[in-house]
Structures are given as structure tokens and as C-alpha cells.
Amino acid sequence: MTLQIKSLEEYNKEYTKSVENPEAFWAEQAETFTWKKKWDKVVNWDFREPNVNWFVGGKLNITENCLDRHLEERGDQAAIVWEPNDPNAPTKTYTYKELHAEVCKAANGLKSLGVVKGDRICFYMPMVPELAIGVLACARIGAIHSVVFAGFSAQALADRVNDATCKMVICSDYNNRGAKNIPVKKVVDDAMALGCPSIETVLVHKNTGGSVKWSEGLDKWWHDTIDHQSTECEAEEMDSEDMLFILYTSGSTGKPKGVVHTCGGYMVYTTFSFNNVFQYQAGDVYWCTADIGWITGHSYIVYGPLAAGATTVMFEGVPTYPDAGRFWQVCEKLKVNQFYTAPTAIRALMAKGDQFVEGYDLSSLKILGSVGEPINEEAWHWYDKKIGKGNCPIVDTWWQTETGGILITPLPNITDTKPCHASYPMPGVQPVLLDSDGNLVEGNDVEGLLAVKYPWPSMIRTTYGDHERCKNTYFSMFENMYFTGDGARRDKEGRYRIIGRVDDVINVSGHRMGTAEVENAINEHKNVVESAVVGYPHDIKGQGIYAYVIANQEVTDVDAFRKEIVAVVRKEIGPIAKPDMIQVVSGLPKTRSGKIMRRILRKVASSDVSNLGDTSTLLNPEVVQEIIDNALV
Ligand code: WTA
């Protein structure tokens, strides 16, 4: 197993070593894994290209590390514990042996449908065990998975399928989510109808068993394909730098981009970080409440925990069904030791009242985690007191889809914790703060743009099909730096506090969204001429979506117009992107070069209009007053 740091002294020592001699540090970690062939060189890198290679020349299969290597020592230990949406339905457990067998069967099933190494396979599935099994089955045979969160619309799904020219979509028939039964296959059918020419097969897992439309030749049942397969499947030999998966995420411009992660470095870093951030001990039950549709689920439900030989919980449901005590009921029932969730969930549950926590035995909890957005002080204290009973360190973990794993975080019982502070870099991670000209902001008690000056093993390698875009987005802003898009403070003691995005990316309930993406969706409405979207502070969601819209005719029924716009956004992206506020305006404040002055729009949406800055250079200063007068907040 990789190093597990146990004291502050050890953290300081290892951190220093990881900076002074990164190759030796990471070689030591990598040596703890099963390689089919050892690497020739630990790292080769050039951020200008960017070209980053870890464990160069090494050959491995990540599933041998997640499954096979555990069989002897912990074959009968629970690997995945699946908790269904319905609290009265039975929990399902897969031991390492059973999971190994299921993954091999699925891998053989995929092969029988002609899937080969390098093929892209899209998943559009709820949180059922078959999602984890399917993802691992792809990795087993060298197929590249692209998981699309099952809340995205048919259009968004089709866009992602086409961008990666996927050969297959794997989906469920329906999805149990709270009190709802959501038709999943229907969304895939709609996506196919929009045109997905590369798709040869839609593989359908029967989950709830409702009726589905069937296309002969295209659609195949999971059980018909997989149930009879052999429980052995040799693991494909992968190069360290072969693609493991693509995961789409939003940026400040254009369509979502496919972030590419590769096999070797991703495996080493997710395992190492899992081991240290959650201080996992044999026998512990670890639960991350994320969805596998996002990076957190990839790295810290599936790969990191399984490679570390942990017991990882997978939850099908939602935090508020059947009531706001569900998380705590599951913690009690499964005797969860490490619990990892998002601030938006904490805020939502906090708002429902303490009565939903009281009565549950949470004494098994040792460590609490937070991820995805800044956690505000009130939520932090509630989490600490009501859930952790003041006994569980909170790890406020900062990272991104692009970073693959947690980069800045407290280490529980090792470094201290401070509300709202992601605190210290992991060993091997070298963050810096920069001013807008790219100068280093040195010392403590300072603020700047957050960048990283040295590669770490699980960092983004490219954006699928468009390497230039990767370069322009992350590596062109500052020379020889990976730029995160976040602003941060470093406090007097050197802890990092993440302030939030400095680009046009917003974070709504922990879901990352590009304002341009939402604008493009809104503009699909036939009566919308132009729109501008900004984030504004929202008590539960962290940020809400505020849209300013110009119509091409007089709007007589504003409510109806708003509903239509919401419907268009749901159709184009999905319900997670629907605007919370829509203000119809006669114009948008623009500079003389035609750029929308978002700063003003952000201030209005945050009802902070006392100091709008200089508006005299605007092309149309008169619209500002109109916008303020009709603001919805
Ligand atoms: C934000 C999620 C503050 C940040 C793993 C980042 C955070 C974006 C934190 C990435 C945190 C993530 N404190 N902000 N602990 N964690 N963020 O790609 O703005 O969905 O750039 O990855 O979420 O979101 P993504």
C-alpha cells in the first residue's frame, strides 16, 4: 500500500521530499502497485505543449490493482456496499471476489459485442452497482469510458456521445430517485433520434423493469449479454499513458470539454490521496455521496477506494428521501467511518432542522469530508457539531475534474482544520498564487490566482479531440503553470482558502457550469435575442443562476415566457442548469467593443449596487439604471 502519513512531522518531511525529489517520492508510491512492466522514467513533462507523462513506459491494468491484487488477502471483504433508494429494500454487498467476477463477466460481454481497446463507451446510468461494474469492465479491456451524469438532457447526451464518437451507450431502463421513477432509456432513445451515428449498440440494464421502447439490432439487454459470461477475463495490458477515461466538464467558453485521464498516474494519485485524506484503516466503511457521473465519484467511489482495498458505499438515492435524515440513517445502518459529501447537501439538510439528525447513532464516524464548492462557516460548524459531534476532523478538499484527485486539503488528525480553509497541499503538489500579470505572490496573508507549478500524477493530459483547447484553457495564461481558474488566499499560517472561480464558470449545488453554455441554451428560445447569465449567492445552492434576457418582441406574459425559457434550458442541458431568476431587459451593458460588462450584472444579481465602478465607458450606460430598477433580488 502507498505511504499513509501519520504525523505532522511526517507530513512536513514527506512534503519536502516530494518537492526536492519528486521522482523518488512518486516512484516509492508507484512501487506499491502491480505493474505488468515497470516504468523506465517517473516523469517527463513540458507545460508549454502541454505534454505530461508519468511512469513512462510502464504497463499495467488498473483493474488488476482494484480487484485481482486484493483477492488473496481480502477476497471475502466487502468491496462495494450498495444502498438502494428505497430504505426498506435490502442493501447489496459485493465482496472483492464477487466484484472481480462481475467485472470479468461484463468485460467479456462487452467484448462479445465487439468492444476493443481504445473504443469509447458512454454510460448514462443512475447509481446502480452495474455502473461501477461497467466502468471497471471497460478499464479491464482497455475501452475508454465516458460517464455522462444521468440528469443531463438528450441533447447534452448526444453532444457528448458525438464529441467522443462513442461506439456504445450503456444505460438503465429507469431510475429510482426519491419518490420518482425516471425513464432513463427514453432519454437515450431521444438522443439517438437526434443523431448519434457512431453508436452501434445501446446496452440496457433492467433496473426497475418498466416498459421500454425497443429498437431491434440497436438495443441489447445487459442480462442477455453478460449473465452467462465467464467470470474470468484477462486484463488488457495498458501503457501508463493510455487513456483510462474521458469526463466532460464545463469551462468559461463554448461546449463542455472532455477531460482526459490516463491509467498509471491516475491510479497512483487517487490511491495515495484516498489513503491519506481519509486515513482509511482495514475494516473501515467509507462513504462518498457523490454521483459517479462526476469526477468525485470516479476517483473517490470507484478507483481510489478500490485500489486501496477499501469498503466503499454506493448510494442510489437522494439526501431528502424519504426524509432529511436519510444520510444519517444510512451512516448508522452501515456503521460508516468516513463520510464525504458536498456543502450544498449539508446546507440543505441543515435548513430542514436538527430533528432529522437526532436519534441516529453516528458514533462510528471518524472523519468528515467536503468537496465541490466553498463550504461556508455556518455549514462547517453545523457539520462539525451535529454530525461529527466535535470529534471528527473535517477535510475540506479542493480539487477539480482536471486535477483527477484532491490537491489541497487538511489531513485528518495530522494538520489542523479551520472553517472555510482547504488548508495545505498534498505531498507532491506545488500550488502558487499569481497576480494577473503572472508574477508570483509570495509570503503569507496574501491573495491571488491559484496555479500549480509542477505536475502531479493524476493531472489532465488533454481535452479529447482538441489538444489546443487544453493548452489554451489551462497552460497559456501563465508560462509553465497549470492555471486552475480559481482565486485563493493564503492565510498567515500558509493555509489556502479557495475564494471561487475567477472565470465565467459558476458552481450551482456543486455542479460546475459555464455561463456561456447556459446562455447558448437560453438563446435557443425563438423570442430571445440575447442573454447574459451570472451566478448570485444562494443560501442552499451556493450559487444560483441569474439570467438577463432580451426579447425580440414585447413580453406580455412574463411568467409564461420564463417557463418557456426554463423548458428550453432543460431540453438543451438538463434541469441542473435551469435559471433561478430570469429578468427581461431592453439591453445589456456593453463596452464599446461590444463585450458584455458582466461585473455590473453580477453586482445587480447579488443586490450589491452601491459601487458599480465606472460605467461611463459603456456603449449604453442608460440600461444600467433600468436593470437595477427591475432587479429580481
Ligand atoms: C470548486 C469537483 C472551494 C472550485 C471536485 C473548482 C471548491 C471547481 C472545492 C471544480 C473546495 C472544488 N472549496 N471550492 N473544497 N472543491 N471547488 O471540476 O471552484 O466539478 O475549480 O470538481 O469546484 O469543480 P469540479
Side-chain angles (χ1 to χ4, degrees):
M1 200 37 68
T2 63
L3 165 74
Q4 193 176 61
I5 291 165
K6 284 289 167 209
S7 66
L8 185 58
E9 205 185 353
E10 199 183 357
Y11 166 74
N12 288 327
K13 188 182 104 210
E14 294 297 336
Y15 187 79
T16 305
K17 179 170 159 191
S18 77
V19 173
E20 287 175 353
N21 195 347
E23 300 206 23
F25 177 84
W26 287 116
E28 257 171 50
Q29 307 315 318
E31 265 152 22
T32 65
F33 293 84
T34 303
W35 295 83
K36 289 176 186 283
K37 175 185 167 286
K38 202 179 157 176
W39 58 92
D40 306 314
K41 182 151 192 335
V42 175
V43 61
N44 269 336
W45 66 287
D46 181 349
F47 276 179
R48 285 163 306 186
E49 296 296 330
N51 181 22
V52 176
N53 297 294
W54 279 91
F55 311 112
V56 184
K59 306 285 178 192
L60 76 154
N61 187 291
I62 196 168
T63 70
E64 284 191 331
N65 287 278
C66 290
L67 302 169
D68 305 59
R69 71 164 169 158
H70 301 311
L71 294 182
E72 206 168 307
E73 206 182 313
R74 52 180 77 89
D76 295 320
Q77 179 205 303
I80 294 180
V81 175
W82 181 72
E83 186 61 30
N85 178 63
D86 174 359
N88 300 314
T91 305
K92 203 164 164 182
T93 297
Y94 293 80
T95 64
Y96 272 95
K97 264 189 205 144
E98 289 164 343
L99 186 61
H100 176 269
E102 291 305 317
V103 168
C104 287
K105 278 163 62 181
N108 287 323
L110 294 180
K111 276 193 194 168
S112 76
L113 294 174
V115 177
V116 296
K117 180 174 176 178
D119 284 343
R120 276 83 55 217
I121 306 296
C122 178
F123 286 83
Y124 187 78
M125 266 178 134
M127 284 288 283
V128 290
E130 287 73 12
L131 172 55
I133 292 167
V135 156
L136 291 164
C138 285
R140 187 82 174 171
I141 61 174
I144 299 159
H145 54 81
S146 167
V147 182
V148 176
F149 174 65
F152 278 114
S153 68
Q155 184 65 57
L157 173 61
D159 290 345
R160 286 158 178 76
V161 162
N162 292 332
D163 187 76
T165 53
C166 294
K167 194 173 196 173
M168 182 185 288
V169 179
I170 306 184
C171 68
S172 296
D173 53 358
Y174 288 83
N175 171 11
N176 288 315
R177 195 173 161 77
K180 294 186 208 148
N181 186 21
I182 298 165
V184 178
K185 164 85 163 52
K186 163 92 172 57
V187 180
V188 178
D189 293 341
D190 293 346
M192 295 306 117
L194 289 166
C196 293
S198 57
I199 294 294
E200 293 173 10
T201 310
V202 174
L203 187 63
V204 188
H205 167 248
K206 190 179 274 189
N207 184 28
T208 72
S211 72
V212 288
K213 195 185 105 207
W214 205 252
S215 300
E216 279 313 322
L218 181 68
D219 295 341
K220 300 252 161 32
W221 283 112
W222 172 284
H223 55 264
D224 287 345
T225 309
I226 290 168
D227 282 1
H228 63 278
Q229 298 286 347
S230 156
T231 56
E232 291 295 333
C233 172
E234 205 182 320
E236 186 77 29
E237 180 170 295
M238 304 295 284
D239 188 89
S240 289
E241 287 298 339
D242 277 340
M243 271 185 218
L244 175 63
F245 66 85
I246 304 169
L247 187 58
Y248 284 85
T249 192
S250 299
S252 31
T253 54
K255 298 182 302 176
K257 48 189 173 277
V259 171
V260 170
H261 285 290
T262 58
C263 296
Y266 179 81
M267 170 181 77
V268 172
Y269 194 83
T270 53
T271 313
F272 172 77
S273 52
F274 172 77
N275 234 332
N276 284 284
V277 176
F278 299 103
Q279 291 286 311
Y280 188 86
Q281 307 300 314
D284 282 352
V285 176
Y286 159 88
W287 180 18
C288 166
T289 69
D291 191 291
I292 294 176
W294 311 113
I295 191 68
T296 308
H298 282 62
S299 302
Y300 298 112
I301 295 177
V302 182
Y303 288 113
L306 293 177
T311 295
T312 174
V313 175
M314 199 176 156
F315 176 48
E316 184 186 36
V318 295
T320 49
Y321 177 82
D323 63 41
R326 187 67 198 279
F327 274 177
W328 323 125
Q329 178 253 327
V330 175
C331 282
E332 175 182 291
K333 178 177 171 190
L334 303 179
K335 299 196 169 48
V336 170
N337 302 111
Q338 292 91 355
F339 179 75
Y340 190 28
T341 197
T344 190
I346 299 166
R347 287 190 297 264
L349 297 179
M350 179 172 78
K352 297 275 183 190
D354 296 352
Q355 68 274 22
F356 290 102
V357 185
E358 284 151 13
Y360 289 110
D361 176 5
L362 298 179
S363 59
S364 59
L365 290 173
K366 297 194 283 192
I367 291 159
L368 301 176
S370 170
V371 58
E373 47 177 326
I375 177 166
N376 50 308
E377 200 144 349
E378 195 191 354
W380 194 98
H381 285 298
W382 187 83
Y383 199 26
D384 178 42
K385 283 206 188 73
K386 299 291 169 183
I387 308 306
K389 318 291 181 200
N391 281 322
C392 303
I394 296 176
V395 289
D396 177 356
T397 64
W398 173 84
W399 57 299
Q400 310 177 296
T401 305
E402 295 86 343
T403 69
I406 296 165
L407 295 196
I408 303 183
T409 177
L411 293 180
N413 301 312
I414 295 169
T415 59
D416 57 9
T417 61
K418 182 176 171 188
C420 313
H421 287 69
S423 300
Y424 304 103
M426 288 287 291
V429 174
Q430 302 187 37
V432 291
L433 296 179
L434 304 172
D435 67 19
S436 49
D437 296 324
N439 303 307
L440 276 180
V441 179
E442 290 180 284
N444 287 342
D445 204 12
V446 290
E447 196 170 310
L449 302 168
L450 182 63
V452 188
K453 69 173 182 188
Y454 192 86
W456 63 99
S458 63
M459 71 184 294
I460 180 173
R461 297 302 197 267
T462 188
T463 44
Y464 191 80
D466 191 353
H467 194 64
E468 270 307 293
R469 188 161 181 205
C470 174
K471 180 174 168 174
N472 292 335
T473 311
Y474 308 104
F475 299 93
S476 302
M477 187 87 128
F478 305 112
E479 206 182 332
N480 268 318
M481 296 279 174
Y482 165 80
F483 176 52
T484 65
D486 280 316
R489 271 198 75 75
R490 196 160 48 225
D491 76 0
K492 289 196 175 71
E493 289 83 30
R495 291 183 206 90
Y496 286 88
R497 174 184 189 149
I498 309 301
I499 299 166
R501 302 290 304 197
V502 295
D503 52 10
D504 290 321
V505 171
I506 52 178
N507 197 324
V508 182
S509 301
H511 300 320
R512 189 171 149 178
M513 231 161 306
T515 51
E517 215 181 320
V518 184
E519 288 162 7
N520 290 341
I522 292 173
N523 297 349
E524 289 294 313
H525 187 290
K526 64 179 191 308
N527 298 121
V528 171
V529 180
E530 195 180 6
S531 62
V533 165
V534 295
Y536 72 100
H538 187 289
D539 282 349
I540 305 289
K541 298 180 178 186
Q543 280 188 300
I545 302 180
Y546 196 116
Y548 299 88
V549 173
I550 305 175
N552 64 2
Q553 58 185 47
E554 203 196 333
V555 180
T556 45
D557 187 344
V558 179
D559 271 347
F561 188 46
R562 286 192 182 121
K563 283 200 182 108
E564 285 168 26
I565 290 174
V566 166
V568 172
V569 174
R570 290 180 79 106
K571 176 168 163 283
E572 293 293 317
I573 306 175
I576 56 174
K578 69 180 209 285
D580 299 281
M581 305 275 182
I582 300 175
Q583 180 177 351
V584 181
V585 295
S586 68
L588 292 165
K590 287 194 177 165
T591 62
R592 291 189 195 279
S593 61
K595 261 188 83 176
I596 297 172
M597 283 276 260
R598 288 171 188 279
R599 183 173 50 80
I600 294 175
L601 297 177
R602 268 187 226 117
K603 288 210 161 200
V604 174
S606 313
S607 39
D608 168 24
V609 292
S610 55
N611 178 15
L612 288 181
D614 185 11
T615 55
S616 64
T617 56
L618 289 177
L619 200 60
N620 50 351
E622 70 288 351
V623 298
V624 176
Q625 198 53 49
E626 176 214 300
I627 289 176
I628 295 172
D629 290 345
N630 299 323
L632 301 170
V633 289

